[in-house]
Every structure is written in C-alpha cells, then in structure tokens.
Amino acid sequence: HDLDSRIHIQIQLYWHQTTNMVQPNGVVNVVHYFDEWTRCIGSGYQKDSLYRFGKFDACTAQWKDLKTAMKAKTTSDPEEAQRLIDGTHYTKNLGSDLKQSPTAGVIWDLKEKPGWDEVEE
C-alpha cells in the first residue's frame, strides 16, 4: 500500500511538471499560434493558396511557430520564452507590427497615426 502511494505521488508530480504551463498568456499565448495554424490549414485559406499560387500551403511556418510557442510556454525563464517568441515566423513577418505586413505599401498605405478622423482630399 505504501508503494502504491509513492507511485501515485510520483505520477502526480510528473503530470504536474509536464502539464504546467509556466509562462502566463501575457508572455506566450499558445492559442494565438494554434489559431494561426488552424487558419492556414482551413479550406478557405487553402482554396485561396491554390488559386493564387497554384498549390496548397503546407503551413510549415505556422506549425513550427506552434511548436515553438509550446516550448516557450513551458520554459521557466521569461526572457528565454520571449526570445523564442521573437524568433517565430509570425512575429518576424506578420504579427501586430503593421510595418511587417506583406500588404503595407502594396495594397494599403501605412499611416503614421492611424485613424478615421483624417480624410485626404
């Protein structure tokens, strides 16, 4: 009975260590990277890829980002987690920095101060 209790405690400890997400969502939001990957593998995006480029997108960058985000989420050092996130395809090429957008300057002009108040005539 004592052996069963020790095994049970070891299993609980292992489960806690492997399922504990160390970094909070403010540092690493895994859901964001999961959403990006599922958007990429979705039928609408794949249809657009086939039409625009003549082939389906393998979504390799998004899958790699998702794996990196999981690694960053479970990393105990917040600076290391941020370094991992800073190296993702999303952060480097898309992300919330509009200057990184592949359509900025091609489809739309990037404003210094975004807003609807300013109307050019």
Side-chain angles (χ1 to χ4, degrees):
H1 186 323
D2 187 42
L3 180 61
D4 288 342
S5 296
R6 286 187 298 186
I7 291 173
H8 182 71
I9 289 170
Q10 286 178 339
I11 290 172
Q12 283 182 325
L13 181 61
Y14 175 76
W15 176 255
H16 177 73
Q17 288 172 344
T18 59
T19 60
N20 186 19
M21 297 296 179
V22 178
Q23 299 300 326
N25 285 342
V27 177
V28 180
N29 190 347
V30 174
V31 173
H32 175 78
Y33 293 94
F34 180 77
D35 287 348
E36 281 298 307
W37 177 68
T38 56
R39 178 197 57 79
C40 185
I41 64 172
S43 60
Y45 181 83
Q46 290 298 324
K47 174 186 58 99
D48 289 349
S49 179
L50 185 61
Y51 177 77
R52 292 177 184 162
F53 307 111
K55 62 182 181 174
F56 292 116
D57 188 336
C59 303
T60 306
Q62 291 81 1
W63 178 246
K64 185 177 177 186
D65 280 0
L66 179 58
K67 292 190 300 184
T68 300
M70 289 299 294
K71 182 176 181 180
K73 186 75 167 177
T74 58
T75 299
S76 60
D77 180 12
E79 290 178 5
E80 174 66 10
Q82 189 60 54
R83 187 189 68 72
L84 289 167
I85 291 301
D86 289 344
T88 62
H89 170 78
Y90 183 82
T91 302
K92 288 181 175 179
N93 299 295
L94 306 168
S96 61
D97 183 5
L98 297 177
K99 293 176 186 163
Q100 297 292 336
S101 171
T103 58
V106 178
I107 296 175
W108 55 277
D109 293 325
L110 183 63
K111 297 179 182 179
E112 288 292 323
K113 180 182 171 189
W116 295 100
D117 298 338
E118 302 169 18
V119 178
E120 293 181 24
E121 299 202 26

